[in-house]
Amino acid sequence: MTDHVMILNRWVDEYAQYEKYVDHTQHTVTYIATKVGVGGIPVFAKDFRQVDSTDSFETVLAAANSLVAEHGMPDYVIALYEDDTIVAAQLRERFGCPGPKVADIVRFRDKLHQARVMEKAGIRAPRFVAVEDHEDIRALAQEVGFPIIVKPTLASSCVGVTVVRSAQEIPRVVLDDQYVYIAQSYIDLPTYNIDGLYSQGEIVRIGTSRNFNTCLEFQSGGFLGSLEIDDSPLRRGIVDYIDSVLKAMCSNDETIVFHIEIFVDHNAMPDQACTFLEMGSRVGGAGIPFVWREIYKFDLMWMQYELSCGRGISAVTTGQPEGRAGWLLMQLPYERPCRIESVTSMIGVTPGPYAEALPEPGQVVPLTNTFFEHVAGRFRLSGENYTELFENMMATVEGFSIEASPYRSEVR
């Protein structure tokens, strides 16, 4: 029987390989995509609708209804980009499709809910308060001191995040009515991103990577990188900590793809080193989907696709990555949109990356919400160990160059 699979998309590159997950010639596969995301729709897609935003339910629903009128009700609704997952869940509920519903998605995106779960479970995490007004921020600062970090509970990619460093800055913190906010004590420690698959109380697959710079620093012009660490007491301590986080957040019969960010104190004992930052039931961004497929030989995006269809993972065997991998993002010299004048390929440079994605000279890098896709350069790294990965990353940072100029016309 032919299924109608409706996919929300805003990527151009193959973060998800949709044509491998569902046969576009045998099934009716339709897309709802942003103007930029239209460029990533497979050639054999049955139909598509272009929208201004894939995270607006009213906008997406109108496009979905138009596709339903042409091709019938969807059997499955898929969104693998974090900001689109709630809208997809709303469509599943509207059309009676299997897969995660709104409540399933929200609890893994709501930073305030996560903070409360960690507090109840006794898992190390920053002190926090729900923010209704500036007095809540002031109250937390009086308790823990400055700096304080204030952020929306459901936003991503550092949207709306403010670091408050003094009492004088509190009145200037913007509390947008469209968001609910949380304030937390500021943790000045290296961050790690932990990715993998968790099913019925067990970690099936896991990767543990140290981050270099933060999203905020990347937005300010720095590079952003992440490298898989070697086996060590610290790594084993991190895995044990992540297991406790997942057990606190998940039910006993639940299966999720996870992306968890933590702080790690390198001067602490391994069983005391970790502090919770946030988590999601989705694949991490940047280079994570690529290096998992290419180096770890495991497609996390396919796992998320299957779970989004309400299907299980009984055929997946437990295993750990055999290789070491990492990724690197280089920031543009101008705010988007900007026109690329010249760019340096790093392929073939030793030490350096094994793969890259670069804008072409003359290309206009668009102003779009896929923040980590449209940058100066995206690089993937491999190596025998962490030291080799670090050498490859820093050689790429130092050797890469790009020239660009401002561009007036904005594109979404």
Side-chain angles (χ1 to χ4, degrees):
M1 186 178 76
T2 299
D3 291 325
H4 178 189
V5 181
M6 186 179 291
I7 299 174
L8 279 60
N9 181 64
R10 59 169 91 182
W11 289 310
V12 177
D13 206 348
E14 286 191 335
Y15 287 81
Q17 296 182 330
Y18 292 117
E19 287 181 292
K20 292 186 178 181
Y21 308 156
V22 56
D23 190 331
H24 284 49
T25 64
Q26 297 298 313
H27 298 281
T28 300
V29 186
T30 63
Y31 286 78
I32 300 172
T34 60
K35 183 174 183 178
V36 171
V38 166
I41 296 176
V43 65
F44 290 111
K46 184 70 172 180
D47 203 352
F48 75 93
R49 296 291 183 272
Q50 180 180 309
V51 295
D52 290 335
S53 174
T54 45
D55 56 8
S56 165
F57 178 65
E58 291 76 14
T59 300
V60 172
L61 179 60
N65 285 334
S66 175
L67 290 170
V68 167
E70 290 286 331
H71 308 288
M73 294 286 283
D75 296 282
Y76 304 102
V77 178
I78 308 296
L80 303 183
Y81 187 86
E82 180 183 13
D83 288 349
D84 300 336
T85 53
I86 291 178
V87 170
Q90 289 174 301
L91 290 181
R92 289 188 201 108
E93 293 182 357
R94 175 66 66 98
F95 297 132
C97 300
K101 302 304 188 288
V102 173
D104 302 317
I105 300 295
V106 167
R107 65 191 173 91
F108 287 107
R109 289 197 57 194
D110 189 334
K111 298 174 180 64
L112 181 58
H113 171 75
Q114 294 171 21
R116 287 168 172 161
V117 170
M118 296 304 111
E119 182 179 56
K120 182 177 180 180
I123 295 172
R124 190 179 300 105
R127 298 294 296 273
F128 73 96
V129 65
V131 175
E132 294 186 2
D133 55 37
H134 292 93
E135 290 305 311
D136 294 317
I137 303 172
R138 198 180 311 278
L140 181 64
Q142 290 173 349
E143 179 182 348
V144 303
F146 293 100
I148 296 291
I149 191 160
V150 182
K151 52 191 174 184
T153 61
L154 289 178
S156 65
S157 301
C158 295
V159 172
V161 175
T162 304
V163 178
V164 185
R165 302 187 182 279
S166 69
Q168 290 71 33
E169 294 180 11
I170 293 176
R172 297 196 292 271
V173 175
V174 176
L175 300 176
D176 193 322
D177 289 341
Q178 69 175 310
Y179 295 120
V180 175
Y181 287 84
I182 181 174
Q184 295 173 298
S185 55
Y186 185 88
I187 308 296
D188 188 16
L189 289 171
T191 62
Y192 283 59
N193 60 257
I194 319 299
D195 299 271
L197 180 68
Y198 181 80
S199 183
Q200 299 181 340
E202 300 291 336
I203 295 174
V204 179
R205 299 286 177 115
I206 189 168
T208 56
S209 298
R210 179 181 175 176
N211 297 329
F212 291 84
N213 293 330
T214 66
C215 292
L216 286 174
E217 289 168 322
F218 183 63
Q219 287 181 337
S220 300
F223 71 88
L224 185 65
S226 184
L227 305 178
E228 175 80 12
I229 64 171
D230 298 331
D231 186 35
S232 64
L234 175 61
R235 185 185 187 278
R236 294 190 287 274
I238 290 172
V239 172
D240 289 342
Y241 178 83
I242 294 303
D243 185 65
S244 68
V245 169
L246 289 163
K247 283 181 166 59
M249 285 292 298
C250 299
S251 62
N252 291 333
D253 61 350
E254 194 161 21
T255 298
I256 67 166
V257 171
F258 62 85
H259 175 73
I260 302 175
E261 298 178 17
I262 61 174
F263 302 100
V264 175
D265 185 349
H266 295 151
N267 296 317
M269 296 297 292
D271 62 348
Q272 299 292 315
C274 302
T275 300
F276 183 80
L277 175 53
E278 62 187 47
M279 77 169 292
S281 59
R282 46 97 184 179
V283 184
I288 293 169
F290 299 94
V291 299
W292 270 78
R293 280 198 303 263
E294 296 161 354
I295 305 300
Y296 300 164
K297 307 303 180 184
F298 190 84
D299 193 344
L300 283 175
M301 280 291 186
W302 176 62
M303 287 290 97
Q304 189 178 345
Y305 179 93
E306 291 291 289
L307 294 172
S308 298
C309 293
R311 294 193 280 262
I313 60 159
S314 57
V316 175
T317 57
T318 300
Q320 303 308 320
E322 295 181 1
R324 292 283 180 267
W327 52 265
L328 169 68
L329 303 181
M330 297 297 291
Q331 187 57 280
L332 291 159
Y334 288 98
E335 292 185 357
R336 297 171 297 169
C338 62
R339 186 190 302 277
I340 304 302
E341 305 297 339
S342 65
V343 62
T344 302
S345 172
M346 297 300 295
I347 295 300
V349 177
T350 303
Y354 75 86
E356 67 184 13
L358 304 177
E360 296 285 340
Q363 178 182 338
V364 174
V365 180
L367 177 62
T368 174
N369 291 332
T370 47
F371 184 73
F372 288 155
E373 180 175 11
H374 301 282
V375 295
R378 294 184 284 122
F379 302 93
R380 279 114 67 193
L381 313 164
S382 65
E384 293 295 322
N385 50 50
Y386 176 83
T387 299
E388 187 175 334
L389 285 176
F390 186 79
E391 291 174 353
N392 290 341
M393 181 180 72
M394 294 313 300
T396 305
V397 170
E398 293 166 5
F400 178 73
S401 65
I402 188 169
E403 294 183 2
S405 57
Y407 185 79
R408 294 183 179 277
S409 177
E410 295 189 356
V411 180
R412 285 188 64 85

